[in-house]
Amino acid sequence: MVHSLTPVSLPPSLSRCDLRLGIDTGGTYTDAVLVNNSDQVVAGVKALTTHSDLAVGIGSALAQLPRSELGSVGLVSLSTTLATNAVVEGQGAPVGLILAGYSSAQAERAHLEQIVRDGHLLLLDGSHDATGSESAPLDLDTARRAVFEWHRKVSAIGVSAIFGVRNPTHEIALREMIRAHTNLPVTCGHELASSLDAPRRAATVAINASLISFISKLIRSVQEILGNLSVDAPLMVVK
């Protein structure tokens, strides 16, 4: 059963203002609200969250909003439990993970073999020290061969270097090489965390990479729904 809130009629002066559309997919309900420039909620609806395909519940919620006002939406904000649920339920997609300067003990401690989910893990020569100075050159040739082998078997590639937060040049070189030879999304450790805890940072990179295909699919679906409702506005995803 779908529960809805009665939409509020907008006065003419308000209709001329840009509205913001907020979408939140919760565990039970998906909420959609229109907010004006004075941060007042002018219309709000609920629909049941469809866990098998969040876009279905989102579409059901948006269909209840006043169609005449959706053309005034200037910004869309999407908050989703998709990433959290996927991590908890172990549903990430297979990824390739390249670790420069890591030891096998560090990879085992972070359970990285399990996180890549039938993907591929490469421990690569190349490192910096705690000051950011290079202590070993990057073995880019080995990484390139691995990427050629992986690119049809994984949904994304994660890259983490042992002191990448102090000097990301190895991560950047790997990212550029991957982009030059594949169309796969690439996640780098220095983009996600500033902590020196290398095993935890590598796990974060692997999890992030494993979720990219899920999030990308949801974003495309939501953009299609918005287009069908004549909503032409930037879409933000709440982190």
Side-chain angles (χ1 to χ4, degrees):
M1 186 172 83
V2 175
H3 298 267
S4 64
L5 302 176
T6 302
V8 177
S9 298
L10 301 180
S13 60
L14 213 55
S15 297
R16 291 193 295 269
C17 297
D18 279 348
L19 301 174
R20 286 168 286 155
L21 171 58
I23 306 166
D24 177 50
T25 62
T28 303
Y29 293 110
T30 293
D31 295 279
V33 295
L34 289 172
V35 181
N36 64 26
N37 287 337
S38 299
D39 292 331
Q40 297 171 317
V41 176
V42 296
V45 297
K46 287 181 179 289
L48 288 175
T49 295
T50 48
H51 292 278
S52 59
D53 186 351
L54 295 181
V56 174
I58 291 171
S60 297
L62 295 183
Q64 301 175 66
L65 290 171
R67 187 72 178 261
S68 60
E69 305 302 340
L70 291 177
S72 298
V73 170
L75 180 68
V76 180
S77 176
L78 172 64
S79 176
T80 174
T81 59
L82 176 62
T84 302
N85 293 345
V87 171
V88 171
E89 297 168 8
Q91 294 181 343
V95 300
L97 183 61
I98 299 176
L99 304 179
Y102 282 70
S103 68
S104 57
Q106 289 173 312
E108 291 172 7
R109 188 164 71 246
H111 306 290
L112 297 178
E113 289 281 5
Q114 293 91 326
I115 293 175
V116 296
R117 307 190 191 289
D118 299 323
H120 301 269
L121 174 64
L122 173 65
L123 301 181
L124 193 68
D125 288 339
S127 62
H128 292 87
D129 60 26
T131 67
S133 299
E134 186 177 72
S135 53
L138 181 65
D139 185 358
L140 203 57
D141 289 337
T142 297
R144 187 180 296 108
R145 288 193 294 271
V147 168
F148 283 143
E149 178 186 343
W150 295 353
H151 78 282
R152 297 186 185 279
K153 304 175 183 178
V154 299
S155 63
I157 295 180
V159 173
S160 185
I162 193 70
F163 278 106
V165 294
R166 292 289 170 84
N167 188 335
T169 54
H170 284 176
E171 292 186 1
I172 292 171
L174 288 166
R175 181 185 66 195
E176 296 310 306
M177 180 273 293
I178 295 166
R179 287 179 174 173
H181 296 292
T182 78
N183 293 320
L184 293 171
V186 186
T187 294
C188 291
H190 75 274
E191 298 171 323
L192 300 179
S194 58
S195 169
L196 288 178
D197 188 336
R200 179 175 293 182
R201 189 169 66 254
T204 302
V205 169
I207 291 170
N208 190 84
S210 74
L211 297 175
I212 288 175
S213 62
F214 289 84
I215 295 294
S216 296
K217 179 181 177 181
L218 177 63
I219 289 173
R220 289 194 299 270
S221 296
V222 172
Q223 288 174 328
E224 182 178 353
I225 293 169
L226 294 172
N228 292 337
L229 294 171
S230 300
V231 176
D232 183 16
L235 172 63
M236 295 194 316
V237 177
V238 178
K239 183 169 72 171

